[in-house]
Amino acid sequence: MTSTPIKEVREDGRKTSIQHISTSRRIKDRVVQGLVYLAFALAVVPLVSVLWLVVSNGLERFDLEFLTHSMNGIGARDAHGGAYHAIIGTLEQVLLASLISVPIGLFTAIYLVEYGNNGRLSRAISFFVDVMTGVPSVVAGLFILAFWILFLGFEYSGWAGALALSILMMPTVVRSAEEMLRLVPNDLREASYALGVPKWRTILKVVLPTAFTGIVTGVMLAVARVAGETAPLLMTVFFTNSINNDPFNGPQMGLPLFVFDQAARPNDTAIDRAWTGALTLILIVMLLNLVARLIAWWRAPARGR
Amino acid sequence: MSKQIQVSGLDAYYGSHKAIEDVSMTIEPRSITAFIGPSGCGKSTFLRTLNRMHEVIPGARVEGKVLLDGEDLYAPTVEPVSVRRMIGMVFQRPNPFPTMSIYENVAAGLKLNGRLSKSETDGIVEDSLKGANLWNEVKDRLNKPGAGLSGGQQQRLCIARAIAVRPEVLLMDEPCSALDPISTLAIEDLMAKLKDQYTIVIVTHNMQQAARVSDRTAFFNLAEQGKPGKVIEMDETSRMFTNPSQKATEDYITGRFG
Ligand SMILES: Nc1ncnc2c1ncn2[C@@H]1O[C@H](COP(=O)(O)OP(=O)(O)O)[C@@H](O)[C@H]1O
Ligand SMILES: [Mg+2]
């Protein structure tokens, strides 16, 4: 080898030496960093202000009476009264909607990921799930109104509301569960097959537990989304001021409807009730989220139990 | 336990792509057979045809015969799941089930065999972990997650998991390629021990490893780029590494290509 000294010149002729970050780059870095913080602040402002408004206005009537009494026999201008009937209605409707849409959504997602092989049927299902995602909530309500109540002749009920809500929930559940199932590494499925575990048991014992936390989060997002829907309820559960514990018979109330109704009344006592109704709704969704997180934490893998 | 495998005229496809062609060989029980050869010549593919894992991949199929002690694994009425119970597999990357504890990982394949009592399961888990030379390291933390172990321990956990279902044959696809030398040595010791009970087939990129652990070696190669892989030569390991009959084998072993 000829002893050419190792020059600081590479083949392309550029000098290789330790480079320093130029001032202009440092300034650019700072500016962009500032912009990111600004964007974050802009995004948080509406959230915080809504929360602040709801909490500060809603605390006024957030008392035991509100949580335990209905609006039965409360006159237009009276204070007092509460949202018990609406809370019961919302809880029952959301629970029923989840009972319908979570199994169907989960099974659909399992089919798409584990069995569909991207064949014609799974592409068709995927397409219709996308279509369903785009269905406005009013349309879901209208559909149940036209089909269940007007065509089949059933009465207004919490169940009808749950049907409408489940139409809205299903695509969200399918999409989030599908995403979570696809995240499960194929290695794990193969490891299970190689032990002689049949496919259905692999899905049950390996794939679903691995995706469990993510699926729970997705379901909670779907629940949170439908818990605040007003339009579909308007056309399906109708409306009532009294307590109806039976979701299958007669009109029920829901918290979004309660807020909608009270906020439209002209006097302050009603407006106060509307704020408190909104606060209650937020708290219910938060509570459900907390419960889901607890479940997810309890089932979390990386923790010696 | 421990059975012989006879393969004849085996082709494997991914869709229309033929990955290996006309492979025939006999794999003896209670011995270690090593597959060597350059990347992409179909060693993993062939290994996976031996326990019908190949067809798990969409579009993949197999032609030819694989006999396990004379029984054709690809006969139309054979249930692939039962084949995989008899022929276990360890993968290149350790893949313990992340949601399961060490104990549950080892017991994962067991529960299918009808209900086992707690004490029976305990016994098998302990035996398997001892069999995989892992018991002493994990006996105090069986209920901790399997993913918390080191890479080498995880791989031995996967071996324990595979031997817990009492297979006849153990297939290992580059089981040490993700491991450090100490862990590799631990796994090699383990293989030498397991060979008393199982038919072991190992794919390896490490020539010294093949020479150290295996009794017989098969050399896979492509005729040329884009052509399916073939077995060039198969013989006693000692002869393969000292006196191969094919020029290509010698070139590969001495590091002249691949
Ligand atoms: N999942 C797959 N889909 C399609 N082709 C594959 C797949 N896995 C491997 N192959 C192809 O099969 C051939 C053999 O691959 P492989 O068996 O992994 O080789 P090796 O294990 O010897 O490195 C390669 O040409 C590779 O591209
Ligand atoms: Mg390979």
Side-chain angles (χ1 to χ4, degrees):
Chain A
M1 198 176 139
T2 49
S3 63
T4 44
I6 304 168
K7 286 279 278 293
E8 294 173 344
V9 180
R10 295 193 314 197
E11 276 171 51
D12 56 4
R14 265 200 300 146
K15 254 187 112 179
T16 56
S17 58
I18 294 170
Q19 297 195 347
H20 295 274
I21 300 167
S22 65
T23 321
S24 76
R25 222 178 99 189
R26 229 174 304 180
I27 292 171
K28 259 187 247 162
D29 182 46
R30 282 285 143 167
V31 170
V32 172
Q33 210 172 24
L35 285 176
V36 169
Y37 283 132
L38 191 70
F40 175 69
L42 280 178
V44 166
V45 163
L47 177 70
V48 170
S49 62
V50 163
L51 271 180
W52 173 249
L53 264 182
V54 171
V55 171
S56 60
N57 289 312
L59 278 179
E60 182 100 11
R61 275 302 320 277
F62 195 70
D63 47 34
L64 212 59
E65 186 185 11
F66 187 86
L67 296 176
T68 54
H69 286 71
S70 73
M71 288 300 290
N72 206 9
I74 306 287
R77 283 194 184 72
D78 295 349
H80 303 292
Y84 179 74
H85 58 313
I87 296 172
I88 284 293
T90 285
L91 288 179
E92 286 181 351
Q93 288 148 25
V94 169
L95 179 73
L96 285 173
S98 307
L99 285 181
I100 301 168
S101 53
V102 170
I104 297 180
L106 198 54
F107 280 126
T108 309
I110 289 175
Y111 176 79
L112 287 177
V113 176
E114 305 289 336
Y115 292 98
N117 280 335
N118 210 15
R120 196 173 303 182
L121 180 60
S122 73
R123 280 202 306 265
I125 292 174
S126 246
F127 173 74
F128 284 113
V129 169
D130 281 342
V131 171
M132 270 177 89
T133 314
V135 168
S137 55
V138 196
V139 176
L142 271 175
F143 169 68
I144 296 300
L145 175 69
F147 179 71
W148 184 256
I149 295 171
L150 298 181
F151 181 69
L152 293 180
F154 290 99
E155 55 177 339
Y156 292 107
S157 65
W159 172 249
L163 286 178
L165 294 183
S166 70
I167 294 179
L168 298 172
M169 255 184 102
M170 229 176 292
T172 322
V173 174
V174 173
R175 279 289 171 249
S176 58
E178 190 189 348
E179 215 165 287
M180 289 306 142
L181 291 176
R182 284 199 200 283
L183 280 182
V184 176
N186 225 8
D187 286 9
L188 295 181
R189 294 185 183 89
E190 294 208 331
S192 178
Y193 297 151
L195 291 173
V197 181
K199 185 163 184 168
W200 66 270
R201 223 187 133 89
T202 300
I203 294 169
L204 204 66
K205 294 286 177 186
V206 175
V207 178
L208 284 178
T210 309
F212 182 79
T213 315
I215 292 176
V216 168
T217 311
V219 168
M220 285 322 300
L221 281 178
V223 165
R225 185 194 159 192
V226 298
E229 284 293 349
T230 320
L233 294 189
L234 214 50
M235 277 170 276
T236 50
V237 309
F238 200 55
F239 184 91
T240 177
N241 272 332
S242 48
I243 298 168
N244 176 9
N245 281 328
D246 182 357
F248 297 99
N249 279 308
Q252 253 193 340
M253 198 56 170
L255 269 174
L257 273 185
F258 177 87
V259 174
F260 177 71
D261 171 46
Q262 297 294 328
R265 299 187 185 188
N267 45 327
D268 282 350
T269 50
I271 304 282
D272 284 346
R273 281 192 291 263
W275 281 116
T276 310
L279 178 62
T280 314
L281 188 57
I282 291 178
L283 287 177
I284 287 179
V285 170
M286 263 173 58
L287 218 67
L288 287 176
N289 252 309
L290 207 67
V291 170
R293 254 158 226 273
L294 274 178
I295 296 175
W297 172 81
W298 176 65
R299 292 291 319 271
R303 211 165 44 83
R305 244 180 291 126
Chain B
M1 297 251 268
S2 184
K3 293 188 173 177
Q4 183 199 49
I5 301 177
Q6 268 179 304
V7 184
S8 52
L10 189 112
D11 302 340
Y13 298 82
Y14 291 100
S16 58
H17 170 67
K18 196 185 218 175
I20 50 174
E21 184 174 65
D22 198 24
V23 176
S24 301
M25 67 169 65
T26 302
I27 296 167
E28 297 298 341
R30 290 180 218 287
S31 71
I32 300 180
T33 304
F35 295 167
I36 58 172
S39 279
C41 65
K43 304 179 298 292
S44 301
T45 306
F46 178 64
L47 197 72
R48 291 165 59 97
T49 62
L50 297 181
N51 66 342
R52 297 195 63 167
M53 281 295 287
H54 180 63
E55 65 209 53
V56 166
I57 295 165
R61 67 201 162 81
V62 176
E63 284 168 12
K65 272 202 164 92
V66 179
L67 306 180
L68 185 68
D69 270 6
E71 245 186 299
D72 188 0
L73 301 183
Y74 283 94
T77 53
V78 166
E79 163 72 271
V81 168
S82 68
V83 172
R84 294 180 204 133
R85 292 189 58 76
M86 275 190 290
I87 307 182
M89 187 159 203
V90 176
F91 296 82
Q92 182 167 0
R93 274 211 325 223
N95 51 5
F97 300 122
T99 52
M100 299 183 192
S101 66
I102 293 172
Y103 181 98
E104 288 167 329
N105 259 288
V106 180
L110 280 178
K111 300 194 178 119
L112 309 152
N113 225 357
R115 286 256 150 256
L116 284 174
S117 72
K118 176 86 173 72
S119 63
E120 277 174 301
T121 312
D122 284 352
I124 296 176
V125 167
E126 181 173 344
D127 287 349
S128 309
L129 283 170
K130 279 179 176 160
N133 291 344
L134 190 61
W135 175 251
N136 286 329
E137 287 155 74
V138 300
K139 62 171 183 263
D140 303 322
R141 46 169 170 160
L142 290 176
N143 291 321
K144 293 277 188 309
L149 299 172
S150 76
Q153 289 173 326
Q154 284 187 20
Q155 193 62 302
R156 275 179 284 151
L157 179 63
C158 292
I159 294 175
R161 181 174 71 183
I163 60 180
V165 295
R166 303 278 153 87
E168 312 280 350
V169 181
L170 209 51
L171 309 175
M172 303 183 168
D173 193 351
E174 300 185 34
C176 305
S177 65
L179 306 183
D180 62 279
I182 305 278
S183 309
T184 300
L185 211 62
I187 303 249
E188 284 180 13
D189 287 347
L190 175 57
M191 279 190 276
K193 175 171 121 187
L194 291 175
K195 124 181 163 174
D196 294 342
Q197 289 179 54
Y198 302 95
T199 308
I200 296 181
V201 184
I202 173 179
V203 174
T204 176
H205 262 130
N206 182 330
M207 230 57 72
Q208 286 82 18
Q209 183 170 60
R212 271 196 304 265
V213 299
S214 73
D215 301 298
R216 286 171 66 79
T217 300
F219 172 58
F220 283 70
N221 201 2
L222 301 163
E224 56 187 279
Q225 254 336 303
K227 287 269 170 56
K230 289 182 169 201
V231 177
I232 303 298
E233 186 176 356
M234 182 169 185
D235 210 333
E236 300 290 328
T237 300
S238 51
R239 190 145 353 128
M240 280 287 273
F241 280 89
T242 52
N243 190 14
S245 62
Q246 300 288 321
K247 178 84 170 57
T249 314
E250 192 179 336
D251 286 351
Y252 183 72
I253 287 171
T254 52
R256 246 167 281 174
F257 86 99

